[in-house]
Amino acid sequence: MIHLILSIVGGGFYLKITMIGTGNAFAKAYYNNNALVETEHMKLLIDCGITLPYALYQSGKTFDELDGILISHIHADHIGGLEELAFQMMYTYHRKPVLYIAESLIEPLWSQSLQGGLAQGELNSIDCFFHVVALQPDVDVQLAEDLKVRLLKTDHIPGKDSFSFLINDHFFYSADMVFNPRLLLELQEAGVHTFYHDCQLESPGVVHTSLEQLLTLPLELQRKIKLMHYGDTIGNYIGKTGEMTIVEQGKPSIIE
C-alpha cells in the first residue's frame, strides 16, 4: 500500500492516499490502479477495478469502511469491481454506497457495464444499488468538510468521456489520459504540488501518456510527478524516469 500525506501548515487538514494498486489494465504483477483517499472526515475510493475487491481485502479493509466511491471512466480496470461492491453492500452490510460520478457516465455505466450482472427482478436500475451523486466537470464539490474534488475532463478514448481529479486544490490524480502538457503546467502554476500521473512505459502513447512524453516536461514539474498505472516491466525503468519518481505498490511514501 502506498501512503501519501499532504499537509498544509496552518491549513488544518491532512490527506492520505493509499494506492490499492498501481498496475495498468494488463498488469499481472500489480493490482489495477485504484486508490483510497482518507481525511479526518471521509474515506473515498477512487475507481473500483477488477482486482479491487481482492486488493482491498489484502489491505485489511472492507467495503463497509468506505464513505463513497469516485469513478473516472468506465473501463473494467476502473469499474470492474463495482458489481461485487454493490452486492456485498446490499447483502452483507445492508446499506447503499454513495457513488460519485460524472453525470454523462451514469447511463453508460449501468446499461453498458453493470446491468447484466446486477439487474434482477425489481432491482433494475443503478439507483437500486447506489446513492448516485451526479457531478459536473470544472465544478468544485465539497464531499466532506476536509475533502474537495473537481472533475477535469481529459482525453483518453475518442468518443468516451473520461475524467481526472483535482483534490483539495493541490493534488492532481490523472486516472487515464493522453499527454496534455498545457494542463499540467497550468495546474502547477495554480499551486498543485503533487501529481499522480498514469504512465505508459513503452511508446507511442496512444490512449495514455507515455514515459517518453513525460520526460519532455520541465524538470521543476517532473519533480512533482509520481508515476502510476504502469506495466509489469516497470523494473526495467528504474533510474530512467528523469526527475519523476515511481509509486511503488506496497511501499509507503509520506509528503509533508
Side-chain angles (χ1 to χ4, degrees), residues 116-246:
L118 287 178
Q120 48 185 296
E122 295 181 354
L123 301 175
N124 55 14
S125 75
I126 194 170
D127 296 300
C128 295
F129 298 92
F130 299 95
H131 288 298
V132 180
V133 179
L135 306 180
Q136 301 298 330
D138 303 315
V139 177
D140 287 334
V141 180
Q142 202 74 40
L143 304 187
E145 179 183 336
D146 50 5
L147 184 59
K148 180 174 66 175
V149 172
R150 185 189 311 166
L151 270 62
L152 304 177
K153 189 173 180 181
T154 45
D155 293 332
H156 178 35
I157 301 293
K160 290 188 174 184
D161 283 358
S162 185
F163 298 89
S164 298
F165 307 118
L166 180 62
I167 300 173
N168 285 356
D169 296 322
H170 301 285
F171 174 46
F172 175 75
Y173 185 96
S174 77
D176 293 359
M177 61 179 276
V178 298
F179 191 44
N180 189 340
R182 180 178 177 180
L183 173 63
L184 299 178
L185 289 165
E186 287 177 350
L187 289 169
Q188 179 186 227
E189 259 188 63
V192 174
H193 55 60
T194 304
F195 296 75
Y196 267 39
H197 206 301
D198 60 309
C199 178
Q200 180 178 310
L201 298 172
E202 295 82 14
S203 293
V206 179
V207 297
H208 287 281
T209 299
S210 72
L211 175 59
E212 183 179 22
Q213 290 171 318
L214 288 167
L215 285 169
T216 67
L217 294 171
L219 296 183
E220 180 187 359
L221 178 53
Q222 285 190 37
R223 294 185 188 106
K224 299 175 181 179
I225 293 176
K226 297 180 183 292
L227 306 176
M228 63 179 188
H229 202 287
Y230 44 71
D232 287 341
T233 60
I234 187 64
N236 299 332
Y237 292 86
I238 295 173
K240 301 177 182 178
T241 61
E243 296 295 314
M244 298 174 288
T245 58
I246 300 167

Side-chain angles (χ1 to χ4, degrees), residues 94-134:
H94 309 291
R95 70 178 180 89
K96 194 183 292 187
V98 179
L99 184 70
Y100 299 100
I101 183 170
E103 186 172 29
S104 64
L105 295 180
I106 297 172
E107 193 282 328
L109 175 63
W110 176 252
S111 66
Q112 298 175 24
S113 297
L114 297 182
Q115 183 176 13
L118 287 178
Q120 48 185 296
E122 295 181 354
L123 301 175
N124 55 14
S125 75
I126 194 170
D127 296 300
C128 295
F129 298 92
F130 299 95
H131 288 298
V132 180
V133 179

Side-chain angles (χ1 to χ4, degrees), residues 9-24:
V9 176
F13 75 83
Y14 77 91
L15 183 145
K16 179 171 72 173
I17 178 170
T18 303
M19 294 305 298
I20 305 299
T22 56
N24 65 21

